[in-house]
Amino acid sequence: MSHHIIQAQGLHFVYPDGTPGLKGVAFRITHGESVALVGANGAGKSTLLLHLNGCLLPTQGSLRVGDLPVTAKTRAAIRRTVGMVFQDSDDQLFMPTVFEDVAFGPMNLGLGPEHTEPLVRQALERVEAWHLKDRPPYRLSVGEKRRVAIASVLAMSPDILVMDEPSSGLDPRSRRELIELLKTFEHTKIIATHDLDLALQSCPRTMILNAGTIQADGPSAAIFSQDDVLLQSRLEKPLLLRACPRCGAKPQF
Amino acid sequence: MSSPGLFIVKAGYLDVLAQKDSVIHRLDPRVKLLTTLLFIVTVVSFDKYHLSALLPFGVFPIVLIVLGGLPAGYILNRVLWIWPFAILIGIFNPLLDRQVLLHLGSLDISGGWVSFISIQVRFFLTVSAAFVLVAATGFNTLCLAFNKLGVPSIFVIQLLFLYRYTFVLADEAGRMVRAWQLRTPLRKAMTVNTFTLVLGSLFLRAVARAERIYQAMCCRCFDGTFHPAYRLKWKMADSLFLIACILFLVFFRFMRPVTWLGEFVTGMFS
């Protein structure tokens, strides 16, 4: 079954003002994989993510999610499969209360309130945010907003989870909790991030995007050990792979 | 926090009040919406020179505030924030309508002043009732009530998002004002040129954010239909409250208890 497979071939995208976003991206992500998408600012990470559920459509080339090509006609079906967590939670949490926000997706799928309530509860409990259900989203901390944003996607039971900079703006404790949370998800995961330590801990595979093309693709630890590749992509080695600056002890990852 | 941001955050306290538990809070939002609308229509239906007949209607918001355990000072403060608009509406009445209508001792009061005061009284009654409605119901539940009473989904969704993103926009405006303040420590107010640039920038930011929000909505299968997450249940108490309010409004609209009281008191001393 090719249900959760994502395959891109020769993917190009050019913004309306002529700025190239993607230049011939090709990859294949299979069921259950966790893939980190890393790269410098403007490398094309967010552009690629927006293609995965049809928010943007390729100018050239093809992208398939499961058995369906991503087109204007198929994107409604694809959005049931691909859940997207946005970089700025304020963009994603638009309903007046947390409960209604998490219920928004399931209700749009045609479920009634009686079927939606258990789904909302399950999703919020999964991210330990059930106690926030009656709060307005704009009154939450950044960490709480991020948890609720993830719950709002989980409530739709997606097969593939796409996250854009999930750790940005989080304090160290919230970031640590997020990493632990991500490890518990069994979905196919694609995480765009600048946080290479998060990528190393949450994703066995990493793709490096540089100026709209994939510069490297492989096991995360191996990719992050290539200093020249990191340098070319304006990235720095994750702290977990560096020797201790005080005692010189070698990394244990 | 900058003053626009602070104002909006204070306005957001209405939603906190809506979480309280009281006789009024437990009523169905539809009944609260209907009675408030009836109240507003009744108050504005009086002739522009009516003043004494309006006074008994003050009972309605006061009773709701007391039964709902709402902070009267906070609600009055919110009403005062927008009072200047009501003053602006009636400010020319005393100049345009100079015909003497009342004599208070040796003081002649023109019809313009009576209608001006009447506008202010109506403003306080209707706006305080509207604030009480939101404080005892919550804006989102109120939108659900609008929807259940037949207002098209598209309007309800617009209203919900308008309310929700007022806070985000105010936050954005607050940040921009703060950035301006930090770089112009010697100025107390923006120049017209700076203000237009800030306003334009805020508009562009708002458009960009609106696009991102729409994308987020589409990602969760939004097709333009409003699907409320709760079901409303009309109870016997709701029917009783509605009937009581209608009787109250009809009585004070068509009877003149204040006139009767005045005549009674005058009769006693004459």
Side-chain angles (χ1 to χ4, degrees), chain A residues 90-93 100-101 107, chain B residues 140 164-165 212 220 228:
Chain A
D90 271 325
D91 294 339
Q92 189 157 357
L93 304 175
E100 286 169 277
D101 215 298
M107 299 295 284
Chain B
N140 48 326
R164 166 71 181 88
Y165 278 92
R212 294 200 299 272
R220 288 197 271 158

Side-chain angles (χ1 to χ4, degrees), chain B residues 128-257:
Chain B
S128 61
F131 272 113
V132 169
L133 172 69
V134 179
T137 312
F139 198 80
N140 48 326
T141 318
L142 208 54
C143 287
L144 175 58
F146 271 118
N147 189 242
K148 291 291 173 193
L149 290 174
V151 175
S153 287
I154 188 80
F155 293 120
V156 176
I157 287 169
Q158 291 298 319
L159 208 59
L160 269 174
F161 291 152
L162 181 75
Y163 183 71
R164 166 71 181 88
Y165 278 92
T166 303
F167 294 92
V168 177
L169 201 64
D171 201 32
E172 200 107 38
R175 278 202 296 270
M176 290 175 80
V177 170
R178 196 182 308 130
W180 169 81
Q181 282 169 340
L182 290 172
R183 282 183 285 167
T184 49
L186 301 177
R187 275 188 178 277
K188 283 189 175 171
M190 282 187 193
T191 59
V192 175
N193 197 22
T194 312
F195 179 74
T196 49
L197 287 172
V198 167
L199 205 62
S201 179
L202 186 64
F203 173 74
L204 291 175
R205 286 188 194 202
V207 170
R209 186 177 282 277
E211 279 178 11
R212 294 200 299 272
I213 292 161
Y214 183 65
Q215 278 181 347
M217 291 167 74
C218 289
C219 287
R220 288 197 271 158
C221 303
F222 176 66
D223 60 358
T225 319
F226 179 59
H227 300 286
Y230 303 103
R231 284 204 201 285
L232 299 179
K233 201 175 172 188
W234 189 283
K235 304 175 289 296
M236 178 62 87
D238 300 312
S239 304
L240 292 176
F241 182 80
L242 183 63
I243 292 167
C245 285
I246 290 173
L247 289 176
F248 167 83
L249 293 174
V250 168
F251 178 76
F252 284 103
R253 175 64 186 85
F254 297 106
M255 305 299 161
R256 292 284 181 269

Side-chain angles (χ1 to χ4, degrees), chain A residues 34-36 38 196-208 216-230 236-242 251-253:
Chain A
S34 286
V35 181
V38 300
L196 301 195
D197 285 283
L198 176 141
L200 193 59
Q201 290 175 81
S202 316
C203 305
R205 178 180 164 191
T206 291
M207 292 196 289
I208 296 184
D217 183 355
S220 298
I223 293 276
F224 293 140
S225 302
Q226 298 174 36
D227 291 333
D228 53 333
V229 173
L230 294 177
E236 290 184 343
K237 191 175 264 188
L239 295 172
L240 287 167
L241 293 182
R242 295 186 202 180
Q252 295 182 342
F253 197 86

Side-chain angles (χ1 to χ4, degrees), chain A residues 13 49-58 63-65 67-84 109 156, chain B residues 214-223:
Chain A
F13 181 77
L49 291 192
L50 288 173
H51 277 78
L52 296 178
N53 60 4
C55 285
L56 295 178
L57 295 172
L63 177 66
R64 294 184 78 86
V65 175
D67 297 321
L68 297 172
V70 180
T71 63
K73 284 183 181 171
T74 59
R75 61 183 158 196
I78 283 169
R79 282 169 182 166
R80 288 171 174 241
T81 310
V82 180
M84 172 116 178
L109 291 176
M156 296 180 72
Chain B
Y214 183 65
Q215 278 181 347
M217 291 167 74
C218 289
C219 287
R220 288 197 271 158
C221 303
F222 176 66
D223 60 358

Side-chain angles (χ1 to χ4, degrees), chain B residues 18-76:
Chain B
Q19 305 293 325
K20 293 179 87 166
D21 186 27
S22 74
V23 183
I24 301 299
H25 285 79
R26 283 193 291 272
L27 287 171
D28 188 290
R30 286 168 293 185
V31 77
K32 285 185 268 187
L33 178 61
L34 280 174
T35 49
T36 307
L37 288 176
L38 283 172
F39 174 79
I40 291 170
V41 169
T42 311
V43 167
V44 298
S45 70
F46 280 95
D47 184 74
K48 64 178 179 176
Y49 296 127
H50 270 112
L51 202 52
S52 60
L54 289 171
L55 299 179
F57 286 92
V59 171
F60 182 78
I62 290 170
V63 167
L64 292 189
I65 285 171
V66 172
L67 291 179
L70 301 170
Y74 169 80
I75 288 174
L76 184 66

Side-chain angles (χ1 to χ4, degrees), chain A residues 4-83:
Chain A
H4 309 160
I5 291 176
I6 304 174
Q7 190 160 14
Q9 284 178 323
L11 197 65
H12 284 78
F13 181 77
V14 181
Y15 281 99
D17 64 355
T19 311
L22 299 174
K23 299 179 209 166
V25 168
F27 60 84
R28 179 183 164 89
I29 296 170
T30 54
H31 174 63
E33 266 196 290
S34 286
V35 181
L37 195 60
V38 300
N41 293 331
K45 303 186 296 293
S46 297
T47 307
L48 179 55
L49 291 192
L50 288 173
H51 277 78
L52 296 178
N53 60 4
C55 285
L56 295 178
L57 295 172
T59 314
Q60 198 186 320
S62 72
L63 177 66
R64 294 184 78 86
V65 175
D67 297 321
L68 297 172
V70 180
T71 63
K73 284 183 181 171
T74 59
R75 61 183 158 196
I78 283 169
R79 282 169 182 166
R80 288 171 174 241
T81 310
V82 180

